[in-house]
Amino acid sequence: MGSLFRSQEMLLCQMYLQADTAFTTIAQLGELGIVQFKDLNANVNAFQRHHVNEIRRCEEMERQLKFFEKELKSNDVEPVELRVIPDVPPQKRMIDLEAQFESSETELREVNNNLETLEKNFTELTELQCVLRETDIFFQETQIRDVQMPMASTGAMEANVSDSDPNLIRCLTGVIPLTKLMTFHRLLWNVSRGNFFLRHVEIPTLMRDLGSGDLVQKVVFLVVCYGEALMKKLRKVAEGCHATLYPCPQVKEERQRMLDEVAVRLTDLRTVLEKSKEQRTRCLHNISLHILDWDIKVLKLKACFQTLNLLHKEGTNYVAECWLPYAELANVQTVLDRSSELCGSQVPSILHPIKPDFLPTYHRVNKFTRAFQVIIDAYGVADYREVNPALFSIVTFPFLFSVMFGDAGHGLLLLLFSLFLIIFEIMNIIFSGRYLILMMGLFSIYSGLIYNDVFSKSLNIFGSKWIVVYDDETLHSQKELMMNPSDINVYKQVPYYFGVDPVWVMADNKITFTNSFKKKISVIFGVGQMLLGVMLGLLNHMYFRHYLSILTEFIPMLLFLLSIFGYLCALVFAKWGVYLAINDYYQCAPNILIGFINMFMFSYPTKEATHCSNLTWYNGQQDVQSFLVILAILCALWLLFSKPLFLYLRDKRLRGRQRLVEDTENVNHHEGDHQPLYDPEAVNEVPAEGVAPAPITSNAMSRSYYNLTAPVEHKEAFDFGDVFIHQAIHTIEFCLGCVSHTASYLRLWALSLAHAQLSEVLWSMVLHPAFHLSIPRGLSIIMTFVVFCPFAVLTVVILLVMEGLSAFLHTLRLHWVEFNSKFYKGEGEPFEPFSFWEIMNRRDEF
């Protein structure tokens, strides 16, 4: 919890590694996942770093792995799940891994090439078999010498060639896709001018296309023409249409002999194909046993070499600078020692902290707090050791959501949905926010019980405290009846034990009552959250020792907020506690809005000019309110001028001291006194023999620790104009922000009203009429189930999804703008450690 309130204390360390232990150390630190390395070679081109060749070798192995994954997926072979995540292989074993990849890839490619050639031959022989069968059937039906060729209108064939010469008749046979048959026919007609005869028959089974490899519907065609010249033209047309041409003897005996040979070859080829597929299956099975293991090893190897490229190489040694949490310093040192032992190095690795100029922000989160931290980091990463709003958002975020989503029934549905995500761990898109949804569901149930709203209906658990004194005749004859809360026979003078009394669901002025209640609590919740933000700003000032900011920012901001909006909340609570129905003066309950306007106008009406609710309602109210308005104005001026003036006076005093020191040094130099005011060598002076050095006190240790865990502050030259403009912007933003942010919290009331009214509309116009149909009981039950389906769909789509998303976005805005602006800078840099686990998770997300 301490890490979530403030980021963990960080250190910037230097690390000296021997060349023979560097790779093992980096691999061990990657498994630990708690060290972030600085890039000490930022000015070096990426292609000129030391381990570029190793990274290229890893990328080549990644290419081979992608080839294996593609082959496994195309053949529906699932990789075998890993039981244990493999460690990083030693750098010397990288050659063995590459040889294993190369061997597997070569074997698989050879099998694929052989199989592709065999399948192509099998397809060609199958098509040839179909061509021979279909043409044989055609020749059996009709003798080719009796074919009557269609003549063109010019009669060219009659003029040049004798019809009685059968040797001039040519046949063209082959296979063409069905989709290209019409195009093929038209081109034949245009080229030959109709002097051809075409016969085609569809092949009953799908055939593999030799070009693309897809299964397509093909047809066997037979083209008969007259003359060799025309046949050459038609052959070119067939080749242009990507038709596959096959020889077909015109003599029946030759066709039969060729058909028998094709059948024998197909039988042999089918056997060879089966053996080749079995060989590929065995090869893919062997790859599937190791591919996940190989994938993780290559990923870790590449990450190690990329990290080594961030280190500076001095001779045979490596120098690294890294950030790590102060609490993990001992664990990192243990990793360094263990790595040296594994490599058998005689020279240990060295790790020592150095003075940082910058420290990243690291919040240690778990699966419950991660979603809340992600929401805050989306606004901005906290500065180092700044108060983290995520800790408070664990409660405030789901609570403000529930104020707008206050329905116990809908909250129960959210709760069940989140439990479903937690138990079954599905739906990766929203899986990381499952505990956020769980908290929103729990708080929505709570707020729904406070509103006494369950699917737009109320629950009378403890019994209503109101008593109906009218008889049935009066209730039916009178449309509007007023119940007097001061009458003990009507109201028991005891509030409903938990939440809103269920009698309000039947009242005509229900919206008026609930609007007034929700509007006031929205302002109270808003002022309370803004006040919490101002108080958290005090904790930041105290931790960073910005005592000037406490005096010139925190105190005026707190007084300004309390003098106006704190007083407003006090008036609301006073009105609720004083003006009860049992009192005679409850009819004069003050109108807080009118009174608040009069407070700033310094105008208070008299009894004769207005209703008693617009008058002052306690002694000295005018003086108190006038004092509060003047105090708010003074706080705004205090916030605007105090800090720039104080910084100006301090800078003027420091410059005066600096001139005094310079004048003193000039005088000493003129008199020949060269003794410096501060001797830096005296700090490192070795004590005389026999004299014990001064012990290091606890205060010195604490100062050293603070210097190592706190970044160096870079002080810039003081510029009064810049400081004053910055403070003016801050003052205007805060003062106007208090007003606009308080009004912004009224969205809690507005969305709560919209949600309640939508829920009531769905109940009264969709589901409720099904209970009052004038039909037999059996049909009424059926109609209820039929109507419940659209009611359930609309409830989920409109109220849970759309309204839930709207409430979530408004809650997000309240935390990012209204709450965080009071204390949170969010200008830090995240701590991104070198971690194999994080690298694998990021790769899996993409």
Side-chain angles (χ1 to χ4, degrees):
M1 190 62 71
S3 174
L4 199 61
F5 179 68
R6 292 190 190 276
S7 60
Q8 289 200 352
E9 295 177 342
M10 306 295 292
L11 290 173
L12 177 62
C13 297
Q14 265 190 347
M15 189 181 299
Y16 294 91
L17 305 175
Q18 299 298 315
D20 54 347
T21 64
F23 181 85
T24 304
T25 303
I26 295 298
Q28 294 291 330
L29 291 176
E31 298 289 351
L32 184 63
I34 206 64
V35 176
Q36 179 180 352
F37 290 92
K38 291 180 63 177
D39 188 2
L40 302 182
N41 300 314
N43 298 326
V44 179
N45 190 285
F47 299 101
Q48 297 177 348
R49 302 198 180 192
H50 301 292
H51 297 278
V52 174
N53 294 330
E54 287 83 356
I55 293 176
R56 288 175 178 172
R57 291 162 61 188
C58 292
E59 290 176 348
E60 174 64 19
M61 288 190 287
E62 287 180 342
R63 181 198 62 78
Q64 293 170 331
L65 284 172
K66 291 180 180 179
F67 169 69
F68 295 152
E69 291 174 358
K70 180 181 178 181
E71 291 296 322
L72 291 175
K73 186 176 181 180
S74 61
N75 291 274
D76 297 328
V77 179
E78 292 293 333
V80 178
E81 295 293 335
L82 290 176
R83 296 182 178 179
V84 180
I85 301 298
D87 294 330
V88 184
Q91 188 174 1
K92 298 178 181 179
R93 296 290 303 276
M94 186 175 175
I95 299 177
D96 299 337
L97 197 61
E98 289 176 312
Q100 196 171 7
F101 279 34
E102 188 68 28
S103 175
S104 299
E105 183 186 20
T106 302
E107 181 183 1
L108 186 56
R109 288 191 181 276
E110 288 180 355
V111 172
N112 286 341
N113 292 335
N114 294 337
L115 192 59
E116 183 180 355
T117 303
L118 291 173
E119 288 180 347
K120 182 178 180 180
N121 294 337
F122 184 80
T123 301
E124 290 176 348
L125 289 176
T126 304
E127 292 180 351
L128 177 58
Q129 187 182 46
C130 294
V131 169
L132 293 173
R133 287 177 179 174
E134 297 300 332
T135 53
D136 186 65
I137 295 174
F138 170 71
F139 286 132
Q140 288 178 4
E141 292 177 354
T142 307
Q143 295 296 326
I144 195 167
R145 65 173 54 93
D146 297 331
V147 174
Q148 300 297 325
M149 297 291 292
M151 297 297 163
S153 59
T154 58
M157 292 186 68
E158 275 190 298
N160 299 324
V161 185
S162 174
D163 292 343
S164 61
D165 188 0
N167 296 325
L168 295 179
I169 297 177
R170 297 290 183 266
C171 298
L172 184 67
T173 55
V175 175
I176 191 171
L178 180 61
T179 55
K180 297 182 179 180
L181 181 61
M182 293 301 297
T183 304
F184 179 55
H185 187 273
R186 290 175 183 174
L187 290 175
L188 291 176
W189 181 274
N190 294 333
V191 171
S192 65
R193 297 183 180 180
N195 296 312
F196 73 98
F197 175 79
L198 175 64
R199 174 76 179 270
H200 62 83
V201 178
E202 291 188 11
I203 300 176
T205 58
L206 296 178
M207 303 298 294
R208 189 173 299 277
D209 186 76
L210 298 179
S212 63
D214 300 330
L215 293 176
V216 296
Q217 183 67 53
K218 293 187 176 182
V219 295
V220 176
F221 66 86
L222 170 64
V223 178
V224 181
C225 65
Y226 203 72
E228 184 64 29
L230 181 58
M231 174 53 63
K232 291 181 180 180
K233 294 181 181 179
L234 299 185
R235 184 182 295 275
K236 291 182 179 180
V237 171
E239 292 173 353
C241 292
H242 301 284
T244 306
L245 304 178
Y246 294 100
C248 182
Q250 297 184 9
V251 181
K252 180 178 181 180
E253 289 76 9
E254 294 180 2
R255 287 198 304 271
Q256 186 62 39
R257 184 174 62 255
M258 191 174 183
L259 189 61
D260 295 338
E261 292 177 357
V262 170
V264 174
R265 292 177 61 187
L266 279 175
T267 303
D268 297 338
L269 195 57
R270 189 176 288 107
T271 304
V272 177
L273 268 174
E274 292 177 357
K275 297 295 183 181
S276 299
K277 290 181 179 179
E278 291 176 1
Q279 183 181 359
R280 185 174 66 175
T281 302
R282 287 194 300 268
C283 182
L284 292 176
H285 177 70
N286 293 333
I287 293 175
S288 67
L289 294 176
H290 305 93
I291 186 169
L292 295 182
D293 180 82
W294 293 342
D295 187 32
I296 294 176
K297 286 182 179 179
V298 172
L299 181 68
K300 290 184 176 182
L301 281 171
K302 185 179 179 181
C304 289
F305 288 122
Q306 288 176 338
T307 304
L308 284 172
N309 276 339
L310 303 179
L311 277 57
H312 177 65
K313 193 170 184 180
E314 295 181 353
T316 59
N317 300 327
Y318 288 91
V319 179
E321 291 186 6
C322 58
W323 293 289
L324 67 152
Y326 177 78
E328 300 290 339
L329 182 61
N331 294 333
V332 175
Q333 184 63 56
T334 302
V335 169
L336 297 182
D337 297 338
R338 185 169 63 247
S339 300
S340 299
E341 293 177 3
L342 291 175
C343 298
S345 176
Q346 301 298 326
V347 180
S349 300
I350 300 174
L351 176 71
H352 68 92
I354 59 177
K355 183 66 178 179
D357 56 353
F358 160 77
L359 288 173
T361 301
Y362 175 50
H363 297 285
R364 192 183 296 272
V365 296
N366 52 34
K367 58 184 179 181
F368 177 78
T369 58
R370 184 182 302 275
F372 299 96
Q373 188 63 54
V374 169
I375 289 176
I376 298 301
D377 289 344
Y379 172 80
V381 179
D383 289 355
Y384 177 68
R385 301 294 290 169
E386 184 182 15
V387 172
N388 183 20
L391 176 63
F392 306 93
S393 299
I394 295 176
V395 176
T396 59
F397 194 95
F399 176 72
L400 293 183
F401 172 86
S402 69
V403 174
M404 295 180 280
F405 199 77
D407 190 296
H410 300 155
L412 179 62
L413 295 178
L414 275 183
L415 177 63
L416 295 177
F417 177 65
S418 64
L419 292 176
F420 174 76
L421 294 178
I422 293 172
I423 294 173
F424 296 100
E425 297 187 356
I426 59 175
M427 301 177 66
N428 292 331
I429 297 178
I430 57 176
F431 176 69
S432 59
R434 59 197 184 279
Y435 291 103
L436 174 61
I437 300 176
L438 174 68
M439 294 293 290
M440 292 192 301
L442 289 173
F443 275 86
S444 296
I445 294 175
Y446 170 77
S447 296
L449 294 176
I450 291 292
Y451 296 157
N452 205 347
D453 197 354
V454 183
F455 294 113
S456 78
K457 307 305 293 181
S458 295
L459 300 178
N460 192 5
I461 301 176
F462 305 106
S464 176
K465 304 305 178 183
W466 293 80
I467 303 171
V468 179
V469 296
Y470 304 105
D471 54 14
D472 294 339
E473 183 179 354
T474 304
L475 291 174
H476 287 88
S477 60
Q478 300 291 334
K479 294 183 179 180
E480 294 183 0
L481 294 173
M482 179 68 71
M483 301 179 69
N484 186 6
S486 61
D487 187 353
I488 194 172
N489 295 321
V490 176
Y491 181 59
K492 297 180 181 180
Q493 306 303 322
V494 178
Y496 192 69
Y497 295 135
F498 187 82
V500 177
D501 196 298
V503 75
W504 285 103
V505 75
M506 299 180 294
D508 291 338
N509 60 340
K510 171 189 174 182
I511 296 181
T512 302
F513 168 75
T514 55
N515 277 358
S516 176
F517 169 70
K518 292 179 180 179
K519 191 185 304 182
K520 291 181 175 62
I521 64 172
S522 297
V523 174
I524 293 172
F525 292 155
V527 174
Q529 190 177 31
M530 290 190 295
L531 182 60
L532 173 63
V534 174
M535 298 304 296
L536 292 178
L538 173 63
L539 298 181
N540 280 333
H541 297 324
M542 294 178 64
Y543 181 83
F544 294 111
R545 303 177 184 178
H546 296 162
Y547 302 116
L548 176 62
S549 297
I550 297 177
L551 180 63
T552 59
E553 291 184 0
F554 168 73
I555 294 178
M557 289 168 61
L558 180 64
L559 293 178
F560 182 88
L561 184 61
L562 291 178
S563 62
I564 298 178
F565 301 102
Y567 178 70
L568 174 62
C569 296
L571 291 180
V572 173
F573 283 112
K575 180 179 178 180
W576 284 346
V578 174
Y579 289 88
L580 303 178
I582 58 176
N583 299 328
D584 296 336
Y585 50 85
Y586 83 96
Q587 295 288 351
C588 291
N591 189 325
I592 296 180
L593 179 59
I594 299 299
F596 212 59
I597 295 175
N598 294 336
M599 171 180 171
F600 286 93
M601 297 294 295
F602 295 98
S603 173
Y604 298 93
T606 60
K607 294 182 179 180
E608 295 79 9
T610 185
H611 189 264
C612 62
S613 61
N614 297 330
L615 301 175
T616 57
W617 47 293
Y618 66 89
N619 296 329
Q621 181 177 354
Q622 297 185 18
D623 297 334
V624 170
Q625 295 184 163
S626 300
F627 170 76
L628 292 177
V629 173
I630 296 174
L631 178 62
I633 297 174
L634 293 177
C635 288
L637 298 175
W638 183 359
L639 184 63
L640 176 63
F641 293 107
S642 60
K643 189 172 184 178
L645 291 177
F646 185 89
L647 292 176
Y648 172 75
L649 295 175
R650 186 177 67 176
D651 180 72
K652 183 178 180 180
R653 184 172 65 254
L654 291 176
R655 281 184 294 169
R657 289 183 180 180
Q658 184 178 4
R659 285 195 299 269
L660 179 62
V661 171
E662 291 176 354
D663 294 342
T664 304
E665 291 179 351
N666 292 334
V667 171
N668 292 336
H669 179 73
H670 179 72
E671 295 178 355
D673 185 2
H674 300 286
Q675 180 66 29
L677 297 177
Y678 170 71
D679 187 2
E681 296 183 356
V683 177
N684 299 323
E685 183 178 355
V686 180
E689 183 177 357
V691 179
I696 300 177
T697 62
S698 59
N699 291 333
M701 288 290 292
S702 62
R703 287 195 300 271
S704 175
Y705 168 76
Y706 178 77
N707 291 335
L708 293 176
T709 57
V712 177
E713 294 186 3
H714 301 280
K715 296 183 179 180
E716 299 180 357
F718 177 77
D719 189 336
F720 179 78
D722 291 343
V723 174
F724 184 79
I725 292 175
H726 179 271
Q727 192 66 18
I729 295 174
H730 175 66
T731 303
I732 295 172
E733 181 183 4
F734 176 78
C735 295
L736 296 183
C738 286
V739 179
S740 62
H741 293 172
T742 303
S744 179
Y745 277 95
L746 291 176
R747 71 184 67 236
L748 299 174
W749 153 62
L751 267 75
S752 176
L753 173 64
H755 187 85
Q757 291 303 304
L758 282 173
S759 180
E760 187 173 353
V761 166
L762 284 181
W763 166 262
S764 60
M765 301 187 65
V766 178
L767 188 60
H768 184 261
F771 297 112
H772 298 82
L773 296 176
S774 300
I775 57 178
R777 183 177 181 84
L779 293 177
S780 178
I781 296 175
I782 296 175
M783 283 299 300
T784 301
F785 279 101
V786 172
V787 174
F788 179 78
C789 293
F791 173 77
V793 171
L794 292 175
T795 298
V796 171
V797 173
I798 297 178
L799 295 179
L800 292 184
V801 178
M802 296 178 61
E803 280 288 310
L805 181 60
S806 176
F808 178 86
L809 294 177
H810 283 284
T811 308
L812 196 65
R813 181 249 158 75
L814 291 177
H815 281 76
W816 281 359
V817 179
E818 279 72 17
F819 180 52
N820 289 352
S821 62
K822 300 298 181 292
F823 71 100
Y824 187 63
K825 291 184 179 179
E827 298 175 352
E829 293 292 332
F831 176 62
E832 297 175 346
F834 171 57
S835 171
F836 291 142
W837 183 258
E838 292 294 335
I839 293 173
M840 289 188 292
N841 287 340
R842 287 198 297 267
R843 198 270 305 272
D844 293 340
E845 288 178 0
F846 291 101

